[in-house]
């Protein structure tokens, strides 16, 4: 693409950067991290006048752009269309990547998606066209890869309705995953609110070699910090090792930072970013960024004495980094390859590798594909072919077209691989897996980012492991998990023992990137005449009705809908897979509400006691009965409730079905905000042990909700069946503005009032 998108916006951001950074340095009275420079350069109020305390203060920001994928865009844009605005306030884009199921191969799978999802695509295309939003057609590529190739710029701030939006950190941005309601606010010209994050510094020294890759950096970091360790923080990578990584390698590291709960991750502007911007036709951005380069990385004093400026510092030496394989069932169980085979035996994980899957938004760059293809090419020369099923998912049409031109895809196919559509596919459960027994215990290895049970194929017995694409390629040649390509040999067709050489990658295509049809559609200059297409009897799309406002009274006599124990991610609250088709129809998708959560009283999923009848039934049906009877209800849950994907359906569905409050030990960041936006009461136990006091037949009285105020605890009385009761204190993080959302019934109700 010759023209650079939104060049005027980028120029305006860069023009005000030096003054904004200077103001922040004065307000804080010290040198600044890169994270602080970007945050303070994007304050809604303009130049900073004071320091915002990390992990304490909520701050209003003005992001430069909004990005949405097709599954979450439906609800975000349905919400936006009720605000009364004529056009989005900031540059925004929609990317059709989630609704394409991987089944037989790219061409057929894309055609099937167009046939099946036509109604949704027409809606997204028409609503984008109406409101001035750039539209990327099905097959154009995965949102984060397309974003990196076309829109990301050093020092920018962007929000996206997908939890892996942080991929943009590879180009030195703060790119942050949010729910659709947040996107709706920013597109409406409202501030975007975030609690000022803590900052973890990751100091990288040395240089990658051999089988070690950028993916292994984040696999190690996930092992160190765990799935919760990054919550409320931004990871800032720096040091000579950081500069030695490619731009897309940095993107991989930032992308998968979502798995440790990090708000986002980023790197300072350097030569790798210049090379990538130039290679993707954005020399103009380089020229502008170079003028203010000192402001697009952390101050030298910070990096010289990091412990003084970061909340925590992690050090990793790339010279000694081993390849890692993480899993199963959680992305933070980190195994160096030298210890993995023993771990497989010790834990009794299925040793046979059934499928190796490479690509995805995390690892589908040109460099990733060339490193993997170098393994495939030498394997072919040595008489080896894949013994596991092997799939390749290119990240964008530009990468796919270029990889095809340069012979990479043909190499994968010759090795026994199948090239899938430029879409999310198996990474998000959009995978019609070829299996004779969908419940069998088995192992797969992917270069994706997330591996919770059932994530890829809906089978809780699938042990999914995560590694770099080149390691996945090597493992697929061997067909078993105990193979270590660094030390072991494989037997070829002639019976010879052969050893694989180290992978070799090419950072950027020597002949440049190329693409025939990138799949982009420019919106109408004037959208006022554009009709948004929604059929009144549609099963997939439904225009929204506003949620009712709070009646100003205490919630009393509420029943327990479910007490969920253990991990309860947004996948448990609102599953993806087959339910993706209802992402634009709130009532239909609400039939999956909390069906994956485990009931603490019987250890079963989707089986709860109906307090009106005393009988056990499915969660959504039980809650619909409560709604019909005007019976308030409460959801109680464990730690880190709502971790994982940013989908706001997990908050909208309980709200739509009439749940009054969600009471948990702790929340994942995005989900807590989503609950607040939808007018739900999201609170935490002051004493985590109070979770154990909640009984199946309890009635909940909120005694001081009428005095709801920032920083003030709420009191809940649990009335037990035997006539006894417990009075417990609960905490909340609502500020004055968020309490107004609660009173109005939702943030959107408040926006609508203000627009009028």
């Amino acid at each position: 693409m010759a023209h650079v998108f939104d060049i005027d916006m980028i120029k305006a951001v860069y023009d005000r950067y030096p003054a904004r950074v200077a103001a922040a340095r004065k307000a804080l009275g010290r040198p600044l991290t890169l994270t602080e420079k970007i945050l303070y350069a994007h304050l809604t109020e303009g130049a900073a006048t004071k320091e915002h305390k990390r992990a304490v203060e909520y701050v209003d920001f003005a992001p430069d752009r909004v990005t949405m994928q097709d599954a979450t865009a439906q609800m975000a844009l349905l919400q936006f269309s009720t605000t009364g605005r004529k056009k989005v306030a900031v540059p925004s884009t929609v990317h059709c990547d989630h609704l394409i199921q991987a089944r037989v191969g790219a061409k057929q799978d894309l055609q099937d998606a167009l046939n099946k999802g036509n109604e949704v695509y027409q809606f997204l295309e028409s609503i984008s066209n109406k409101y001035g939003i750039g539209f990327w057609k099905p097959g154009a590529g995965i949102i984060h890869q397309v974003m990196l190739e076309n829109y990301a710029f050093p020092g920018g701030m962007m929000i996206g309705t997908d939890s892996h939006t942080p991929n943009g950190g590879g180009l030195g941005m703060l790119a942050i995953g949010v729910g659709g309601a947040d996107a709706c606010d920013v597109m409406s010209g409202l501030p975007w609110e975030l609690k000022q994050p803590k900052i973890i510094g990751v100091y990288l020294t040395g240089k990658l070699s051999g089988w070690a890759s950028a993916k292994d950096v984040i696999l190690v970091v996930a092992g160190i910090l765990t799935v919760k360790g990054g919550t409320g923080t931004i990871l800032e990578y720096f040091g000579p090792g950081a500069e030695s990584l490619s731009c897309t390698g940095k993107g991989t590291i930032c992308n998968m930072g979502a798995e440790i709960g990090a708000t986002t991750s980023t790197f300072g502007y350097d030569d790798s970013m210049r090379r990538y911007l130039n290679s993707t036709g954005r020399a103009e951005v380089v020229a502008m960024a170079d003028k203010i380069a000192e402001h697009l990385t952390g101050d030298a004093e910070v990096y010289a004495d990091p412990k003084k400026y970061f909340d925590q510092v992690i050090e990793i030496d790339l010279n000694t980094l081993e390849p890692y394989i993480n899993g199963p069932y959680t992305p933070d169980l980190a195994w160096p390859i030298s210890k993995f085979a023993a771990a497989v035996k010790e834990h009794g994980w299925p040793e046979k590798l059934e499928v190796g899957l490479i690509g995805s938004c995390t690892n589908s760059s040109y460099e990733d594909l060339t490193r993997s293809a170098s393994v495939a090419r030498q394997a072919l020369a040595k008489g080896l072919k894949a013994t596991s099923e092997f799939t390749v998912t290119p990240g964008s049409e530009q990468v796919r077209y270029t990889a095809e031109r340069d012979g990479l895809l043909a190499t994968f196919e010759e090795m026994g691989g199948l090239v899938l559509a430029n879409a999310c596919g198996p990474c998000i459960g959009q995978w019609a897996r070829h299996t004779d027994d969908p419940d069998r215990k088995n192992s797969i290895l992917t270069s994706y980012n997330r591996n919770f049970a059932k994530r890829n194929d809906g089978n809780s017995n699938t042990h999914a492991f995560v590694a770099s694409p080149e390691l996945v390629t090597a493992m697929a040649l061997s067909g078993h998990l105990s193979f270590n390509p660094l030390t072991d040999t494989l037997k070829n067709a002639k019976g010879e023992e052969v050893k694989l050489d180290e992978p070799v990658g090419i950072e950027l295509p020597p002949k440049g990137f190329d693409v025939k049809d990138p799949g982009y559609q420019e919106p109408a200059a004037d959208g006022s005449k554009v009709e948004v297409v929604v059929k009144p009897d549609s099963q997939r799309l439904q225009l929204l009705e506003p949620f009712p406002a709070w009646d100003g009274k205490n919630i009393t006599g509420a029943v327990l809908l479910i007490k969920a124990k253990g991990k309860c991610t947004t996948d448990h609250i609102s599953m993806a897979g087959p339910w993706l088709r209802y992402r634009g129809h709130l009532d239909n998708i609400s039939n999956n509400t909390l069906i994956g959560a485990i009931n603490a009283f019987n250890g079963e999923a989707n089986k709860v006691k109906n307090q009106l009848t005393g009988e056990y039934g499915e969660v959504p049906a039980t809650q619909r009965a409560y709604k019909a009877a005007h019976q308030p209800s409460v959801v109680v849950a464990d730690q880190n409730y709502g971790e994982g994907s940013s989908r706001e359906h997990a908050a909208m569905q309980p709200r739509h079905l009439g749940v009054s409050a969600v009471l948990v030990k702790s929340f994942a960041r995005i989900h807590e905000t989503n609950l607040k936006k939808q007018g739900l009461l999201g609170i935490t136990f002051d004493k985590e042990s109070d979770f154990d006091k909640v009984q199946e037949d309890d009635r909940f009285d909120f005694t001081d909700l009428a005095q709801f105020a920032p920083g003030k605890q709420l009191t809940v009385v649990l009335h037990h069946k035997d006539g006894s009761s417990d009075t417990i204190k609960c905490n909340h993080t609502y500020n004055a503005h968020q309490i107004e959302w609660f009173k109005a019934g939702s943030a959107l109700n408040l926006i609508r009032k203000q627009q009028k």
Side-chain angles (χ1 to χ4, degrees):
M1 270 174 224
H3 85 297
V4 180
F5 288 103
D6 310 310
I7 192 78
D8 295 340
M9 177 270 283
I10 297 172
K11 185 176 185 308
V13 172
Y14 282 171
D15 283 349
R16 60 178 179 256
Y17 234 89
R20 293 273 179 108
V21 171
R25 203 175 274 125
K26 190 175 163 204
L28 275 65
R30 59 170 172 78
L32 303 174
T33 63
L34 166 65
T35 302
E36 288 168 325
K37 289 181 186 182
I38 303 177
L39 289 171
Y40 283 99
H42 287 87
L43 295 175
T44 302
E45 70 200 49
T49 53
K50 66 177 193 93
E51 177 168 6
H52 294 288
K53 293 270 177 287
R54 293 183 199 171
V56 177
E57 284 179 56
Y58 280 91
V59 186
D60 282 345
F61 293 103
D64 303 314
R65 64 173 319 112
V66 172
T67 171
M68 296 163 277
Q69 39 90 335
D70 49 357
T72 51
Q74 296 171 58
M75 200 49 83
L77 292 174
L78 283 165
Q79 291 177 83
F80 178 78
S81 67
T82 68
T83 62
R85 278 191 70 99
K86 302 276 183 283
K87 198 178 175 190
V88 288
V90 299
S92 305
T93 53
V94 166
H95 304 260
C96 297
D97 60 2
H98 271 57
L99 303 176
I100 301 166
Q101 191 185 42
R103 204 168 55 85
V104 293
K107 204 170 173 180
Q108 183 61 50
D109 292 348
L110 180 58
Q111 193 48 58
D112 290 348
L114 290 168
N115 298 345
K116 272 195 204 141
N118 195 29
E119 183 186 354
V120 171
Y121 294 139
Q122 275 188 335
F123 163 73
L124 289 172
E125 192 178 339
S126 60
I127 201 164
S128 298
N129 201 17
K130 184 171 186 67
Y131 294 117
I133 297 166
F135 181 73
W136 291 79
K137 294 185 290 204
I142 308 178
I143 177 171
H144 313 303
Q145 179 79 17
V146 173
M147 190 50 53
L148 203 69
E149 288 173 3
N150 296 281
Y151 297 105
F153 65 98
M157 178 189 262
M158 159 180 112
I159 60 168
T161 59
D162 188 278
S163 45
H164 293 101
T165 302
N167 196 70
L171 261 176
M173 293 193 91
L174 288 187
I176 301 173
V178 299
D182 281 4
C184 179
D185 284 359
V186 174
M187 292 189 291
S188 307
L190 294 175
W192 175 64
E193 191 179 60
L194 178 72
K195 189 182 264 188
Q196 187 77 353
K198 290 176 158 175
I199 311 172
I200 295 177
V202 186
Y203 179 49
L204 302 180
T205 58
K207 199 170 185 222
L208 293 170
S209 62
W211 285 87
S213 71
K215 180 66 162 260
D216 300 306
V217 175
I218 186 59
L219 294 176
V220 169
V221 170
I224 295 169
L225 289 174
T226 78
V227 288
K228 294 206 295 265
T231 307
T233 68
I234 290 177
L235 271 65
E236 182 173 322
Y237 291 82
F238 66 98
E243 289 182 37
S244 74
L245 297 167
S246 67
C247 176
T248 50
K250 291 176 167 81
T252 293
I253 292 169
C254 294
N255 175 303
M256 205 180 147
E259 302 328 301
I260 52 172
T263 302
T264 191
S265 306
T266 194
F267 284 80
Y269 178 54
D270 64 13
D271 268 343
S272 72
M273 296 183 194
R274 288 184 183 93
R275 293 192 297 271
Y276 186 74
L277 286 164
N278 282 322
S279 182
T280 49
R282 290 175 285 174
E284 284 171 89
V285 177
V286 174
M288 293 194 297
D290 280 349
K291 286 193 186 124
I292 60 160
E294 64 184 290
H295 303 308
L296 301 177
T297 188
D299 286 337
E301 300 93 321
V302 169
Y303 294 156
D305 188 7
K307 287 196 167 64
K308 196 169 153 189
Y309 300 96
F310 292 107
D311 295 284
Q312 183 182 348
V313 179
I314 295 169
E315 228 175 290
I316 297 170
D317 178 4
L318 302 185
N319 288 331
T320 58
L321 186 66
E322 251 191 281
Y324 271 70
I325 296 181
N326 286 25
Y329 298 131
T330 183
D332 57 1
L333 195 57
W335 306 98
I337 186 77
S338 58
K339 299 204 171 74
F340 185 63
V344 171
K345 285 200 171 53
E346 187 193 329
H347 294 278
W349 298 325
E351 198 181 329
K352 182 185 177 212
L353 176 61
E354 295 206 3
V355 196
L357 305 101
I358 70 167
S360 81
C361 68
T362 323
N363 276 105
S364 57
S365 65
Y366 188 80
E367 183 180 42
D368 286 327
L369 293 178
T370 54
R371 277 179 71 85
S372 302
S374 81
V375 174
R377 203 173 301 114
Q378 42 147 326
L380 290 166
K382 290 175 182 179
L384 299 167
K385 275 203 166 176
T387 54
S388 305
E389 237 184 281
F390 183 60
T391 69
V392 182
T393 302
S396 70
E397 177 55 18
Q398 178 164 276
V399 160
R400 190 211 64 79
Y401 188 92
T402 306
E404 182 177 51
R405 177 199 72 192
D406 295 350
L408 306 177
L409 301 187
T411 301
F412 290 131
E413 284 170 340
E414 202 185 328
M415 176 192 138
L418 173 69
V419 179
L420 298 173
N422 313 322
C424 303
C427 184
I428 57 157
Q430 281 284 51
W431 184 22
R433 190 169 166 192
H434 314 138
T435 175
D436 46 16
D437 175 5
D439 301 319
R440 184 180 60 234
K441 264 183 86 161
N442 73 97
S443 292
I444 64 172
L445 183 61
T446 79
S447 72
Y448 306 161
N449 44 38
R450 198 161 270 176
N451 62 342
F452 300 137
K454 296 188 177 182
R455 169 81 181 179
N456 304 113
D457 61 2
N459 175 6
S460 57
N461 287 316
T462 294
H463 295 59
F465 298 89
V466 178
S468 69
E470 50 270 47
L471 200 62
V472 175
T473 307
M475 301 298 271
L477 290 163
S478 80
H480 58 88
L481 292 181
S482 50
F483 175 63
N484 178 352
L486 287 73
T487 55
D488 302 348
T489 57
L490 290 170
K491 197 170 275 186
N492 69 11
K494 294 184 194 156
E496 302 160 338
E497 293 287 340
V498 292
K499 188 167 183 287
L500 294 170
D501 306 320
E502 293 173 347
V504 184
I506 304 167
E507 183 183 341
L508 293 160
K511 291 190 274 191
F513 283 105
D514 197 9
V515 63
K516 276 257 178 345
D517 173 14
Y520 174 70
Q521 267 170 245
E522 188 83 29
D526 172 14
S528 59
K529 305 272 187 296
V530 176
E531 283 293 315
V532 176
V533 189
V534 178
K535 296 204 292 273
D537 60 345
S538 171
Q539 288 304 299
R540 297 195 61 174
L541 295 162
Q542 179 188 43
L543 296 174
L544 292 175
E545 296 288 319
F547 291 133
W550 178 50
D551 63 7
K553 298 182 188 142
N554 283 319
I555 299 166
T556 54
V559 294
L560 179 70
L561 172 61
I562 187 172
K563 177 179 174 178
K565 68 166 183 188
K567 214 186 236 314
C568 196
T569 70
T570 49
D571 276 318
H572 294 87
I573 308 166
S574 171
M575 283 180 186
W579 292 93
L580 277 171
R581 52 187 310 216
Y582 299 122
R583 282 283 176 88
H585 197 297
L586 184 53
D587 195 56
N588 282 350
I589 199 168
S590 291
N591 290 325
N592 78 5
T593 305
L594 285 158
I595 62 175
I598 301 300
N599 183 346
F601 299 107
N602 58 16
E604 293 186 59
N606 205 19
K607 189 175 174 187
V608 293
K609 187 170 182 181
N610 180 328
Q611 294 296 334
L612 304 175
T613 64
E615 287 165 16
Y616 283 83
E618 298 180 337
V619 182
T622 304
Q623 180 52 37
R624 285 186 189 274
Y626 294 153
K627 185 179 182 177
H630 304 290
Q631 168 63 57
S633 62
V634 177
V635 169
V636 173
D638 221 314
Q639 294 272 13
N640 209 23
Y641 180 76
E643 72 174 278
S645 178
S646 68
R647 66 189 69 131
E648 80 222 75
H649 296 76
M652 292 184 87
Q653 292 169 212
R655 176 76 170 111
H656 170 69
L657 293 179
V659 170
S660 309
V662 179
L663 170 57
V664 301
K665 289 184 185 175
S666 64
F667 286 108
R669 173 188 65 86
I670 297 176
H671 188 65
E672 183 178 21
T673 304
N674 286 346
L675 290 171
K676 293 176 181 179
K677 284 264 155 97
Q678 303 305 340
L680 253 163
L681 187 63
I683 54 178
T684 55
F685 291 102
D686 181 46
K687 290 198 186 75
E688 285 190 3
S689 57
D690 287 344
F691 175 83
D692 302 324
K693 293 180 179 163
V694 175
Q695 296 170 24
E696 193 167 33
D697 301 295
D698 281 354
R699 297 293 185 270
F700 296 71
D701 286 348
F702 291 75
T703 59
D704 47 14
L705 189 57
Q707 291 82 49
F708 194 13
K712 183 174 176 291
Q713 287 188 318
L714 290 170
T715 311
V716 179
V717 183
L718 307 174
H719 296 282
H720 307 307
K721 198 176 182 180
D722 64 5
S724 68
S725 68
D726 280 298
T727 300
I728 63 171
K729 290 288 183 192
C730 299
N731 301 324
H732 68 84
T733 59
Y734 288 74
N735 59 29
H737 188 57
Q738 294 169 338
I739 288 173
E740 291 307 312
W741 297 343
F742 174 76
K743 290 178 176 171
S746 72
L748 212 52
N749 289 354
L750 204 59
I751 294 177
R752 207 175 296 113
K753 261 195 221 155
Q754 290 162 349
Q755 286 286 348
K756 282 175 186 162

